[in-house]
Amino acid sequence: MAALVKSLGTAIRTAGQAIDSMGAAMQGKYAYRETLSKHKTLQPFNSKKPQLAEDIFVAPNSSMIGDVSLGKSSSVWYGAVLRGDVNSIKIGENSNIQDNCIVHVAKHNAQDRALPTIIGNNVTIGHSATIHACTVEDNSLVGMKATLLDGVTVQKGSMVAAGSLVPPNTTVPTGEIWAGNPARKLRELDAEEAEFILQSAVNYSALARIHAAENAKTHEEIEAEKDAREDRLQRDPDYDSHLGIERDPITREITHVAAST
């Protein structure tokens, strides 16, 4: 019976492919030909492959390509692309590259100086930022949709405001906030803002561990949690306790029934 089902399924799929090919041939140059998605989160390139430390989170729909290294307790979030093809990308510890960021490199500048991308420890790169062939030192923050171009250095303990464009070969000095297009010094960081930068890195490391655990769950665990949520929505929270019943918090199976009094 299994062999018959397998053969029948193969015949139907083959027929479907043949019909699709015939339709595409009729459409000629107007045909759209679907191809199998070859997306891989970690992709080697030119004999180099991403290197990951322990306690990290790399979102399943992000892309780390080629010569990229990610330090301990750091995270790469959903939709981010880190492409270390013509040079290297190095990310330190406890840093976060948030959703839809682009991190790339350059082989060298006009003076033939190599331009990798280096991101230090406790760094936050906000959503949709572009980091291209530059250096972001420890304890710094790059705001959402900011762009850092070739040769930029963001020194330790500084901030680039959201939406800013930092021109090539610019240095953002320690302890300053830069903003605008092109970016200019806005003012000095105060103590509260400096603490916020450090706390942001800590918070994202903690959140990344939760996302890593969620992404690691099996289909069975996800379904069990779904059933448990539905059960809690339908059941009075005090119902079991009135009956002297204890349940497994995941499977909701009865684990203990109190003796009658």
Side-chain angles (χ1 to χ4, degrees), residues 43-49 65-67 84-86:
Q43 302 182 43
F45 181 85
N46 197 24
S47 77
K48 300 281 188 178
K49 61 181 180 180
I65 304 161
D67 193 359
D85 46 9
V86 297

Side-chain angles (χ1 to χ4, degrees), residues 110-126:
Q111 291 73 42
D112 206 35
R113 180 170 69 89
L115 289 176
T117 290
I118 302 171
I119 296 172
N121 303 325
N122 305 310
V123 173
T124 291
I125 307 295

Side-chain angles (χ1 to χ4, degrees), residues 12 28 37 39-40 46 48 73 86 88 90 102 128 132 140 142 145 152 167 170 207 222 224-226 238 251-253:
I12 292 173
S37 172
H39 174 266
K40 293 192 297 183
N46 197 24
K48 300 281 188 178
S73 301
V86 297
S88 63
K90 182 178 181 180
I102 296 174
S128 299
H132 198 275
S140 296
V142 177
K145 293 189 176 181
V152 165
T170 301
L207 184 60
I222 293 171
E225 289 186 354
K226 177 182 176 182
D238 295 327
T251 66
R252 303 300 294 155
E253 295 179 355

